[in-house]
Amino acid sequence: MYFIFEIAFSSNKSYIADLIRAYAKQIRVDVEVLQATDKIIMIFQKKDEKLEGFLLGLETVLPASLFLAQGKHYFSDEKPELMPVDTCHLPLNIAPCPTCQKEMFDVSSRRYYYPFTSCNHCGSQHPFVTKYPYRRPNTSMKFLVSCEACASELKNNALRLDYPLISCIECGIAIRMLDKQSEHLALNKGDFRKLFEVSGRAIASGKQVLMKTAHGYRKFFKSTEVYRPANSILLMADSNGFNDHLMMVTQEFNALLSIERPLLRVATKSDEVKEVYGSSVLVKYPDDGMTMLLARELMNAGLQYISYVTCESDEEADFLVDFDMPVNSQEDTKIFINQDAKLFVSGERILFPALVQNEKNRVTVAHDLACVQIEGESIIDTLDVFDTVETEEVYVLEGESFDGGHSNEHRFEQYKASMMSVLAEHYKVGEKAIGVHFDGTLNFLYYNGKTVINAVPAIPFESDHLWEKIGTLREGSDRLVDNYKKAYPEVWERLNNLQGNMDIFEVTAITLGLDDESFEGISAEALSFLGKGGLQIDTRVKDNRFDNYAFLTSIMSYQLGDVENNFMCYSIYESFGDYIGEIVPQLADKVGTRTVVLTGETFANQSLYGRIQRTIGQYKPLMNKNFPIGKENAVYGALYL
Ligand SMILES: [Zn+2]
Ligand SMILES: [Zn+2]
C-alpha cells in the first residue's frame, strides 16, 4: 500500500520538485518525488506520524508558485507509473524561497540583510552566470572564496548541497552606499541593515535612490502627480496594500505574490494611486534580495508602495547603492490573467533558460536568445552565455543582427516560428491548423502540416498622408475630415504630420489623446472600462481583410459623438475579436481542420481575450504555455521549421 500526494504543476521547471526532495532529505523522510508534464507526485511507502510532520513542514518551505495548483492525496496498491519530464539544473532567476527569506530577516543568521541569499531552489542565479555549464568557475562569483561556514553548508545543508553561488556576508558580495559627498561600505550585519534603512528613509522623505539589483539598475522613488516618469512601475512593498490600492481578482493577487514575481497590469482603485498612475498600472512585488530588503525598510518608514524605473548606472539620483559584481540582467516577464487562464506575454526572466527537446542538429537565434546544445541537452538562453558550438545549420530570425558566419544559415519569419512554437508545445506538429498572429498587425495563417502560409496577410498601413486616405474612403468622408479639424484642431495637425512607419495602434492612441501613445496605452485605457460592450467599430472588410483607414474613420466619428475613451478602447478590442471570430471559422472550414492557434502579444487584453472565447471558444484555441505568446516564442518554434 502506497500513500500518494500529488500537486498540479504546469511547467517543466524543476525547482519545486527539487526543493521537495531536498526538504525530505533534510528531515530524513523516505519519499520518491516524480515530476510529470502536469504534476508532481510524492510516493510514500506507508503513512506514519513522520509523514504528517513532513506534509505540514512542506507548507512552510514551499513557496507560492505560478505553476502550482491544487493538491490531493490517496492510497494505492500499485505504484503510479508515469513519464517523467526531462529536467536539468539550470540557473534560476526568481525571488528568495521562504527558508532563504527567513535567514535574511533573522538577526542571528550569517545572512541577516544579505541581499544575495539564495539556495539551489531560489533566488537570482542567472544574473551571475557568465557561461555554461552552470558551475561556480563559470559565474562572476568565481573569485570569491567561501568562508568555512559556507564550505560546510555545501556538504551538509540539504538546500545548498553543491550550490554554485553559495555566499554570506562574511565571504560574499560587498555593497556600498554613496551620496554626493561620501561613501559607506557595508562590512557586517549592522552595516547591511543600516544601508537599507537609510535608503528606505531617504525615499520616504522624497529622495531618489539608484540601486543596483540582480535585474540591473533601478531608480526607486515616490511618484507624485508632478514627478511620474513614463514606464514607471508600481512596487508594492506591503502586501496588505494590494487590496486598498488596486482592483484585483484572487488569481492576480496570487500571481503577483508567487516566487516568480512577474509584472502584471492591474486596474487602480484608491484615489491616491489613481491620481498618480491613472486608470491602470504595471505592478511588481519585490523580486530580488536588494528590492526585497529595501521594501522591508520602506514599510518600516511607513510606506506601502513606491515606484521604480529600470535604468542605466549613470542615472541621476540622490543616493547610489552599488556593488562591483557584474550582473547579466534579463528582460522582466509580463503575465496576463483571465479567469483561470495564465499567459506569459513577453520577457525572458522566469521562463529562460529553458530545456527543450531538439532532434535536429540545429541552432536557432531570435531576439537575442539562442537554442544551443550543451552536454547533450538543448538549452534556450541569451546568446552571450554560449560559446561557439558545432552545428549543421543555423536558423536566424529575419531582421536579427547576428553574424554567426555559418555556411548553412537560414532566415525565418516571426509568425511562422511563433505558430510552430504553439503546435510543438501541444504536440500538433504535422497536423493541419489555422493560426492568428496578432502583434500590432493582424495576420491569418494556415499550416498544411509542412509549412506555415500567411493566408490573409495584413493590409500594410501607412500613416503619412492620412487625411487624404480617410477623406477619399467613401462618400461623405471629406465632411468628417472637416468636422474633425474643427473639433480637434491639435490632433488634426499632429495626424497631418505623421511619418509613414507608425502602426495603427500608435495612431489610434494619438487620435484619442492618450498619454501612452502605443498599443499598451489603449490596452491600459480599455482595462478601466467596467461596463458591457456594444459599440460597433467599423473594420470594413475589403477582400476579407481588415481596413485600417475605415477603422480610424469609425473611431473619429464616435469621438465626434462624445463617446468616452475607455468605452472606445474596450470596443476596439471587441471589434477585433468579432472580426477574428468571423474569419477563423471560414478558414477552418475551407481547409478542414479544427485546430486553431493564437500567437502575438496583442491577445493579452481582457476585452479581446474575452471576446475570442465567445466567438471561437468552440475550437478551444491553442496558445503558448511554457513560452511567451509574443516574440520570444520564436527561438523555440524555429526548431520545428
Ligand atoms: Zn532558497
Ligand atoms: Zn560565507
Side-chain angles (χ1 to χ4, degrees), residues 303-327:
L303 293 176
Q304 273 193 319
Y305 64 88
I306 56 165
S307 300
Y308 74 89
V309 287
T310 50
C311 55
E312 298 298 319
S313 60
D314 57 358
E315 178 84 12
E316 191 60 37
D318 300 295
F319 293 96
L320 168 66
V321 176
D322 212 352
F323 54 90
D324 286 328
M325 205 59 81
V327 297

mmCIF file of all heavy atoms in Angstrom, residues 303-327:
data_model
loop_
_atom_site.group_PDB
_atom_site.id
_atom_site.type_symbol
_atom_site.label_atom_id
_atom_site.label_comp_id
_atom_site.label_asym_id
_atom_site.label_seq_id
_atom_site.Cartn_x
_atom_site.Cartn_y
_atom_site.Cartn_z
ATOM 1 N N LEU A 303 5.790 53.416 4.406
ATOM 2 C CA LEU A 303 5.295 53.436 3.028
ATOM 3 C C LEU A 303 4.744 52.065 2.630
ATOM 4 O O LEU A 303 5.338 51.041 2.937
ATOM 5 C CB LEU A 303 6.431 53.795 2.060
ATOM 6 C CG LEU A 303 7.012 55.203 2.145
ATOM 7 C CD1 LEU A 303 8.183 55.335 1.177
ATOM 8 C CD2 LEU A 303 5.954 56.238 1.820
ATOM 9 N N GLN A 304 3.615 52.068 1.927
ATOM 10 C CA GLN A 304 3.074 50.804 1.422
ATOM 11 C C GLN A 304 3.571 50.508 0.012
ATOM 12 O O GLN A 304 3.670 49.358 -0.395
ATOM 13 C CB GLN A 304 1.547 50.857 1.405
ATOM 14 C CG GLN A 304 0.930 50.436 2.722
ATOM 15 C CD GLN A 304 -0.557 50.202 2.593
ATOM 16 O OE1 GLN A 304 -1.253 50.954 1.923
ATOM 17 N NE2 GLN A 304 -1.046 49.164 3.247
ATOM 18 N N TYR A 305 3.849 51.567 -0.727
ATOM 19 C CA TYR A 305 4.289 51.367 -2.111
ATOM 20 C C TYR A 305 5.136 52.539 -2.564
ATOM 21 O O TYR A 305 5.050 53.639 -2.005
ATOM 22 C CB TYR A 305 3.080 51.215 -3.044
ATOM 23 C CG TYR A 305 2.229 52.449 -3.127
ATOM 24 C CD1 TYR A 305 2.502 53.445 -4.062
ATOM 25 C CD2 TYR A 305 1.179 52.656 -2.241
ATOM 26 C CE1 TYR A 305 1.754 54.603 -4.125
ATOM 27 C CE2 TYR A 305 0.416 53.818 -2.293
ATOM 28 C CZ TYR A 305 0.706 54.786 -3.228
ATOM 29 O OH TYR A 305 -0.035 55.941 -3.287
ATOM 30 N N ILE A 306 5.976 52.301 -3.564
ATOM 31 C CA ILE A 306 6.718 53.367 -4.228
ATOM 32 C C ILE A 306 6.748 53.042 -5.723
ATOM 33 O O ILE A 306 6.056 52.135 -6.168
ATOM 34 C CB ILE A 306 8.174 53.521 -3.703
ATOM 35 C CG1 ILE A 306 8.935 52.202 -3.830
ATOM 36 C CG2 ILE A 306 8.177 54.009 -2.273
ATOM 37 C CD1 ILE A 306 10.439 52.345 -3.693
ATOM 38 N N SER A 307 7.582 53.755 -6.470
ATOM 39 C CA SER A 307 7.723 53.467 -7.900
ATOM 40 C C SER A 307 9.178 53.162 -8.209
ATOM 41 O O SER A 307 10.063 53.542 -7.451
ATOM 42 C CB SER A 307 7.361 54.682 -8.744
ATOM 43 O OG SER A 307 6.051 55.066 -8.524
ATOM 44 N N TYR A 308 9.410 52.495 -9.333
ATOM 45 C CA TYR A 308 10.773 52.388 -9.826
ATOM 46 C C TYR A 308 10.780 52.382 -11.345
ATOM 47 O O TYR A 308 9.769 52.100 -11.983
ATOM 48 C CB TYR A 308 11.503 51.164 -9.264
ATOM 49 C CG TYR A 308 11.079 49.822 -9.835
ATOM 50 C CD1 TYR A 308 11.695 49.291 -10.979
ATOM 51 C CD2 TYR A 308 10.083 49.077 -9.222
ATOM 52 C CE1 TYR A 308 11.319 48.056 -11.484
ATOM 53 C CE2 TYR A 308 9.706 47.845 -9.718
ATOM 54 C CZ TYR A 308 10.322 47.336 -10.853
ATOM 55 O OH TYR A 308 9.944 46.115 -11.349
ATOM 56 N N VAL A 309 11.946 52.749 -11.872
ATOM 57 C CA VAL A 309 12.176 52.573 -13.307
ATOM 58 C C VAL A 309 13.473 51.780 -13.459
ATOM 59 O O VAL A 309 14.377 51.911 -12.640
ATOM 60 C CB VAL A 309 12.323 53.919 -14.068
ATOM 61 C CG1 VAL A 309 10.991 54.612 -14.205
ATOM 62 C CG2 VAL A 309 13.327 54.836 -13.384
ATOM 63 N N THR A 310 13.567 50.938 -14.468
ATOM 64 C CA THR A 310 14.841 50.294 -14.758
ATOM 65 C C THR A 310 15.642 51.292 -15.584
ATOM 66 O O THR A 310 15.086 51.990 -16.429
ATOM 67 C CB THR A 310 14.666 48.991 -15.544
ATOM 68 O OG1 THR A 310 13.818 49.268 -16.648
ATOM 69 C CG2 THR A 310 14.015 47.905 -14.713
ATOM 70 N N CYS A 311 16.944 51.382 -15.316
ATOM 71 C CA CYS A 311 17.725 52.436 -15.957
ATOM 72 C C CYS A 311 19.206 52.040 -16.051
ATOM 73 O O CYS A 311 19.582 50.924 -15.713
ATOM 74 C CB CYS A 311 17.577 53.733 -15.170
ATOM 75 S SG CYS A 311 18.006 53.569 -13.435
ATOM 76 N N GLU A 312 20.023 52.980 -16.478
ATOM 77 C CA GLU A 312 21.467 52.755 -16.592
ATOM 78 C C GLU A 312 22.157 53.171 -15.292
ATOM 79 O O GLU A 312 21.577 53.845 -14.454
ATOM 80 C CB GLU A 312 22.033 53.576 -17.751
ATOM 81 C CG GLU A 312 21.479 53.214 -19.119
ATOM 82 C CD GLU A 312 21.795 51.790 -19.532
ATOM 83 O OE1 GLU A 312 22.936 51.340 -19.286
ATOM 84 O OE2 GLU A 312 20.900 51.116 -20.081
ATOM 85 N N SER A 313 23.443 52.818 -15.183
ATOM 86 C CA SER A 313 24.180 53.098 -13.945
ATOM 87 C C SER A 313 24.430 54.592 -13.728
ATOM 88 O O SER A 313 24.725 55.019 -12.622
ATOM 89 C CB SER A 313 25.514 52.362 -13.970
ATOM 90 O OG SER A 313 26.273 52.811 -15.078
ATOM 91 N N ASP A 314 24.321 55.398 -14.772
ATOM 92 C CA ASP A 314 24.628 56.825 -14.621
ATOM 93 C C ASP A 314 23.382 57.689 -14.421
ATOM 94 O O ASP A 314 23.441 58.906 -14.506
ATOM 95 C CB ASP A 314 25.431 57.327 -15.822
ATOM 96 C CG ASP A 314 24.696 57.086 -17.132
ATOM 97 O OD1 ASP A 314 23.591 56.502 -17.093
ATOM 98 O OD2 ASP A 314 25.226 57.469 -18.188
ATOM 99 N N GLU A 315 22.248 57.041 -14.143
ATOM 100 C CA GLU A 315 21.004 57.783 -13.903
ATOM 101 C C GLU A 315 21.168 58.726 -12.704
ATOM 102 O O GLU A 315 21.760 58.382 -11.688
ATOM 103 C CB GLU A 315 19.884 56.770 -13.634
ATOM 104 C CG GLU A 315 18.535 57.354 -13.311
ATOM 105 C CD GLU A 315 17.707 57.718 -14.553
ATOM 106 O OE1 GLU A 315 18.086 57.310 -15.664
ATOM 107 O OE2 GLU A 315 16.692 58.419 -14.374
ATOM 108 N N GLU A 316 20.639 59.930 -12.841
ATOM 109 C CA GLU A 316 20.725 60.944 -11.781
ATOM 110 C C GLU A 316 19.859 60.537 -10.587
ATOM 111 O O GLU A 316 18.711 60.141 -10.752
ATOM 112 C CB GLU A 316 20.240 62.282 -12.372
ATOM 113 C CG GLU A 316 20.485 63.510 -11.550
ATOM 114 C CD GLU A 316 21.961 63.752 -11.261
ATOM 115 O OE1 GLU A 316 22.810 63.493 -12.151
ATOM 116 O OE2 GLU A 316 22.247 64.188 -10.144
ATOM 117 N N ALA A 317 20.438 60.597 -9.364
ATOM 118 C CA ALA A 317 19.670 60.286 -8.150
ATOM 119 C C ALA A 317 20.390 60.871 -6.945
ATOM 120 O O ALA A 317 21.550 61.267 -7.033
ATOM 121 C CB ALA A 317 19.522 58.776 -7.993
ATOM 122 N N ASP A 318 19.714 60.919 -5.783
ATOM 123 C CA ASP A 318 20.336 61.475 -4.578
ATOM 124 C C ASP A 318 21.322 60.493 -3.948
ATOM 125 O O ASP A 318 22.336 60.885 -3.394
ATOM 126 C CB ASP A 318 19.258 61.840 -3.555
ATOM 127 C CG ASP A 318 18.289 62.873 -4.112
ATOM 128 O OD1 ASP A 318 18.743 64.000 -4.380
ATOM 129 O OD2 ASP A 318 17.101 62.541 -4.307
ATOM 130 N N PHE A 319 20.991 59.222 -3.990
ATOM 131 C CA PHE A 319 21.876 58.201 -3.423
ATOM 132 C C PHE A 319 22.094 57.081 -4.431
ATOM 133 O O PHE A 319 21.241 56.809 -5.261
ATOM 134 C CB PHE A 319 21.254 57.584 -2.164
ATOM 135 C CG PHE A 319 21.142 58.544 -1.016
ATOM 136 C CD1 PHE A 319 19.953 59.220 -0.790
ATOM 137 C CD2 PHE A 319 22.221 58.774 -0.177
ATOM 138 C CE1 PHE A 319 19.842 60.113 0.265
ATOM 139 C CE2 PHE A 319 22.120 59.659 0.884
ATOM 140 C CZ PHE A 319 20.927 60.339 1.105
ATOM 141 N N LEU A 320 23.229 56.436 -4.297
ATOM 142 C CA LEU A 320 23.507 55.264 -5.127
ATOM 143 C C LEU A 320 23.870 54.105 -4.209
ATOM 144 O O LEU A 320 24.715 54.253 -3.322
ATOM 145 C CB LEU A 320 24.681 55.564 -6.081
ATOM 146 C CG LEU A 320 25.291 54.366 -6.814
ATOM 147 C CD1 LEU A 320 24.296 53.743 -7.791
ATOM 148 C CD2 LEU A 320 26.560 54.778 -7.571
ATOM 149 N N VAL A 321 23.216 52.969 -4.395
ATOM 150 C CA VAL A 321 23.602 51.748 -3.681
ATOM 151 C C VAL A 321 24.159 50.803 -4.737
ATOM 152 O O VAL A 321 23.483 50.485 -5.708
ATOM 153 C CB VAL A 321 22.398 51.113 -2.957
ATOM 154 C CG1 VAL A 321 22.804 49.801 -2.299
ATOM 155 C CG2 VAL A 321 21.835 52.078 -1.929
ATOM 156 N N ASP A 322 25.400 50.381 -4.534
ATOM 157 C CA ASP A 322 26.100 49.709 -5.628
ATOM 158 C C ASP A 322 26.892 48.501 -5.137
ATOM 159 O O ASP A 322 27.181 48.368 -3.951
ATOM 160 C CB ASP A 322 27.066 50.708 -6.274
ATOM 161 C CG ASP A 322 27.228 50.446 -7.770
ATOM 162 O OD1 ASP A 322 26.725 49.432 -8.258
ATOM 163 O OD2 ASP A 322 27.882 51.271 -8.441
ATOM 164 N N PHE A 323 27.257 47.613 -6.046
ATOM 165 C CA PHE A 323 28.220 46.556 -5.759
ATOM 166 C C PHE A 323 29.020 46.286 -7.027
ATOM 167 O O PHE A 323 28.604 46.665 -8.126
ATOM 168 C CB PHE A 323 27.544 45.290 -5.221
ATOM 169 C CG PHE A 323 26.432 44.742 -6.086
ATOM 170 C CD1 PHE A 323 26.695 43.811 -7.085
ATOM 171 C CD2 PHE A 323 25.110 45.140 -5.886
ATOM 172 C CE1 PHE A 323 25.666 43.288 -7.870
ATOM 173 C CE2 PHE A 323 24.079 44.625 -6.666
ATOM 174 C CZ PHE A 323 24.361 43.699 -7.659
ATOM 175 N N ASP A 324 30.188 45.651 -6.869
ATOM 176 C CA ASP A 324 31.113 45.570 -8.001
ATOM 177 C C ASP A 324 30.885 44.394 -8.947
ATOM 178 O O ASP A 324 31.405 44.377 -10.042
ATOM 179 C CB ASP A 324 32.561 45.531 -7.487
ATOM 180 C CG ASP A 324 32.972 46.905 -6.984
ATOM 181 O OD1 ASP A 324 32.471 47.902 -7.552
ATOM 182 O OD2 ASP A 324 33.766 46.981 -6.026
ATOM 183 N N MET A 325 30.146 43.398 -8.499
ATOM 184 C CA MET A 325 29.949 42.206 -9.332
ATOM 185 C C MET A 325 29.104 42.549 -10.561
ATOM 186 O O MET A 325 28.047 43.161 -10.432
ATOM 187 C CB MET A 325 29.204 41.189 -8.469
ATOM 188 C CG MET A 325 29.402 39.771 -8.853
ATOM 189 S SD MET A 325 31.120 39.279 -8.794
ATOM 190 C CE MET A 325 31.346 38.972 -7.069
ATOM 191 N N PRO A 326 29.578 42.170 -11.773
ATOM 192 C CA PRO A 326 28.720 42.433 -12.941
ATOM 193 C C PRO A 326 27.475 41.543 -12.912
ATOM 194 O O PRO A 326 27.544 40.410 -12.433
ATOM 195 C CB PRO A 326 29.615 42.057 -14.125
ATOM 196 C CG PRO A 326 30.691 41.197 -13.573
ATOM 197 C CD PRO A 326 30.840 41.513 -12.118
ATOM 198 N N VAL A 327 26.348 42.054 -13.355
ATOM 199 C CA VAL A 327 25.157 41.204 -13.479
ATOM 200 C C VAL A 327 24.673 41.187 -14.921
ATOM 201 O O VAL A 327 24.768 42.158 -15.635
ATOM 202 C CB VAL A 327 23.980 41.639 -12.564
ATOM 203 C CG1 VAL A 327 24.338 41.536 -11.102
ATOM 204 C CG2 VAL A 327 23.485 43.038 -12.904
#
